[in-house]
Amino acid sequence: MSLNVADIRKQFPILSREVNGHPLVYLDNAATTQKPQAVIDALVDYYTQCNSNVHRGAHYLSDEATRRYEAARQTVAKYINANRNEEVIWTSGTTEGINLVANGVAQRLKAGDEVMVTEMEHHADLVTWQQACKRSGATLKVVPIHDNGELNVDAFHELLSDNTAFVAMPHVSNALGTVNPIKELTAAAKSKGALVLIDGAQGVAHGAIDVQDIGCDFYAFSGHKVFGPTGIGVLWGRFDVLNDWPVWLVGGEMIATVSYQNATWGELPNRLEAGTPNIAGVIGLAAALDWIQQYDAEEIRAHEQALLARATELAKQTEGLRIIGDAPNKIGVLSFVLEGAHPADIGFLLDKQGIAIRTGDHCAQPLMNRLNVPGTARASFTIYNTLDEVDQLFAGINKARMMLA
C-alpha cells in the first residue's frame, strides 16, 4: 500500500485530540508509539469475544484464545524471519528479554571471560551485563563512540579477543538515533566464538528485521515501540541456543513434571514463558505488525529520513541550538541542547504549545557523561508525523528560546 500520511493519521484516534488548547504534535515516538485503530480493535475484540486463558482449556473460548495467541507467534516469527516459531519467546518488553538472557549468561560466565557493550547503551542493556559480570567475575569492556555519536568500529575490532564470551549492542541508539552496522559486528564477534544479543527496541519500528541475515543469537524488542500495546515484547533466540537455556522464571505452563522433590522443564517456547501471559498484548502486537506490513518499508524509511532532514536543516538555522549525535547513518531522532536552557525547561514550554518531546538522559547516563551534557531534548519521528509538525516543533523551540532568554 502506498504511503499516504494523511490517511494514516486518521487511523490513530489520539492524534485528533488537543493538548493545552493546541492540536497535539506527538514527537516522542522513540519512547512509545501511538496505536492505530486496528490494534485497539484487536484488544477490544479479544476481551469481548474470547477472553480466556490459553492452552489446556477444555472449552471453546480457551481454544479460540490459544489459536489467536499461537498465530501471533507465527506472525512475529515471519516478521523477523525466525527459523522456527518456537524461537519467539513472549516477554513484557525489551528489558525483560535482555534480563532473561543475562540471567543465563551470568550462570555460564567465569573469571577471565569478557563481555562487550558500547558507550551508547540504554541502561537495560548496560546494567544487566554490568551485574552479570559482577556475579560471575567476568570483565565488562566498553566500545567507545566518536564525538558525532557513531560507534568506533575500529575500537570494536580491537577490543574483541579470544576471551570475548558475549557481545551486546543496540541496533539503534535510543538517545542519538545512530544505526549500528550490526551484521558486520555480529560476524566479527561470532568469529571469536561469542554469543551476540541485539537490543532491537529502536530498530524494530524502522524497517524490516531479518535475524537470520544479521546472524545474532538473540534479538529483543518491545511491542509498544512498533505501534503495539505496552507490556508485551519478544525475545528471539536461535533454537539451538535457547533449547537448553537456563530457565528465567518457574511456575505454571513451563513445567514438564513436578514432584515435591524435583521438577523438569517443558519444551520451547513454554519453558521460558512461566505463568499466565499477556494474551491481549500478544494479539495486539500481531495486529500492529499486520498493520505496519501494509506499507512499503522503503517508503517508510524515506518518509522518516525526509522528516529528519527537515528537522536537521531547521536545527542548524536555530541560534544557540546544538545537535547531539549527527552520525551519517541515523533514524528519525533529533537530540539537541539549547544554549542557556535546561532540556526540562524546553520540554515544559513545548508541552504548553501541544508539542510532545522527551527530555533527560534517556536512560543513558554514561552516554550523556561521555558527551558532556546533562541530558538532551529529543524529538523522534515516525510514519504518522508530517513536515508541518517539524515546522511547528521549531516554531515552538524558537518561541521557547525567546522566553528563556
Side-chain angles (χ1 to χ4, degrees):
M1 185 184 296
S2 181
L3 203 64
N4 184 315
V5 178
D7 286 345
I8 288 170
R9 289 180 64 83
K10 293 175 184 177
Q11 299 178 57
F12 288 81
I14 201 169
L15 297 182
S16 64
R17 71 164 297 181
E18 290 190 350
V19 171
N20 291 322
H22 299 272
L24 172 64
V25 176
Y26 186 80
L27 302 175
D28 193 20
N29 298 288
T32 196
T33 50
Q34 297 301 338
K35 318 308 172 193
Q37 190 65 51
V39 170
I40 298 168
D41 290 345
L43 295 171
V44 172
D45 186 65
Y46 165 72
Y47 281 122
T48 57
Q49 296 300 314
C50 67
N51 177 47
S52 180
N53 215 327
V54 292
H55 302 141
R56 301 190 310 277
H59 57 87
Y60 183 88
L61 292 184
S62 180
D63 287 344
E64 184 175 346
T66 300
R67 287 195 299 271
R68 295 191 191 190
Y69 178 81
E70 293 302 338
R73 197 187 305 273
Q74 185 173 8
T75 296
V76 171
K78 183 178 179 181
Y79 185 78
I80 62 176
N81 194 29
N83 192 47
R84 306 171 61 153
N85 294 345
E86 297 93 329
E87 295 176 334
V88 172
I89 306 300
W90 303 122
T91 67
S92 63
T94 309
T95 297
E96 184 182 349
I98 294 171
N99 273 270
L100 189 161
V101 177
N103 175 70
V105 170
Q107 296 179 44
R108 299 181 174 194
L109 290 172
K110 59 185 183 303
D113 286 340
E114 297 171 351
V115 174
M116 283 176 52
V117 296
T118 75
E119 278 191 320
M120 64 178 71
E121 302 300 334
H122 187 284
H123 294 162
D125 201 37
L126 170 59
V127 179
T128 42
W129 305 114
Q130 173 198 95
Q131 296 302 308
C133 288
K134 285 179 179 291
R135 292 197 299 272
S136 63
T139 300
L140 186 70
K141 299 172 78 172
V142 182
V143 182
I145 62 171
H146 296 294
D147 289 343
N148 67 351
E150 187 175 13
L151 189 68
N152 187 331
V153 173
D154 290 339
F156 180 94
H157 290 288
E158 290 170 3
L159 286 170
L160 276 176
S161 77
D162 292 337
N163 294 323
T164 304
F166 201 90
V167 174
M169 56 188 158
H171 191 162
V172 176
S173 165
N174 72 303
L176 306 175
T178 304
V179 180
N180 290 315
I182 55 174
K183 183 176 179 179
E184 171 197 338
L185 302 180
T186 294
K190 298 300 291 180
S191 73
K192 297 294 186 180
L195 291 173
V196 178
L197 177 140
I198 304 299
D199 170 0
Q202 297 298 328
V204 71
H206 299 281
I209 303 299
D210 187 336
V211 292
Q212 294 190 64
D213 182 62
I214 295 167
C216 56
D217 300 287
F218 306 99
Y219 192 99
F221 68 90
S222 301
H224 72 99
K225 306 282 192 182
V226 64
F227 313 106
T230 56
I232 186 65
V234 169
L235 172 69
W236 170 84
R238 287 195 295 112
F239 185 86
D240 61 336
V241 176
L242 282 184
N243 201 34
D244 65 348
W245 199 254
V247 297
W248 166 233
L249 298 171
V250 296
E253 193 61 32
M254 53 79 66
I255 295 294
T257 62
V258 179
S259 70
Y260 283 112
Q261 290 75 37
N262 200 12
T264 61
W265 316 136
E267 302 295 324
L268 284 176
N270 293 350
R271 68 189 303 275
L272 295 175
E273 294 179 351
T276 297
N278 182 357
I279 304 165
V282 165
I283 292 169
L285 173 56
L289 297 183
D290 285 339
W291 179 82
I292 194 65
Q293 287 179 98
Q294 298 177 89
Y295 304 101
D296 182 79
E298 289 302 322
E299 286 192 34
I300 295 172
R301 273 193 287 267
H303 174 64
E304 291 180 359
Q305 287 302 307
L307 296 170
L308 179 61
R310 177 64 173 160
T312 302
E313 175 190 6
L314 293 175
K316 291 178 177 178
Q317 296 172 7
T318 302
E319 183 180 347
L321 187 148
R322 177 164 62 96
I323 297 172
I324 303 299
D326 56 352
N329 190 6
K330 285 182 59 175
I331 59 158
V333 168
L334 186 82
S335 284
F336 63 92
V337 292
L338 198 59
E339 185 178 350
H342 193 280
D345 294 330
I346 300 169
F348 175 80
L349 292 173
L350 288 176
D351 179 60
K352 291 300 181 184
Q353 303 172 64
I355 303 167
I357 66 166
R358 187 148 296 257
T359 65
D361 59 33
H362 314 296
C363 294
Q365 290 179 14
L367 175 61
M368 297 297 118
N369 291 336
R370 160 65 178 85
L371 297 170
N372 197 31
V373 293
T376 69
R378 183 189 70 188
S380 48
F381 313 110
T382 192
I383 189 172
Y384 46 66
N385 291 126
T386 66
L387 291 171
D388 182 61
E389 288 183 316
V390 176
D391 292 344
Q392 291 180 64
L393 167 66
F394 279 90
I397 289 172
N398 281 309
K399 183 176 180 180
R401 183 171 60 84
M402 298 302 294
M403 295 177 68
L404 292 167

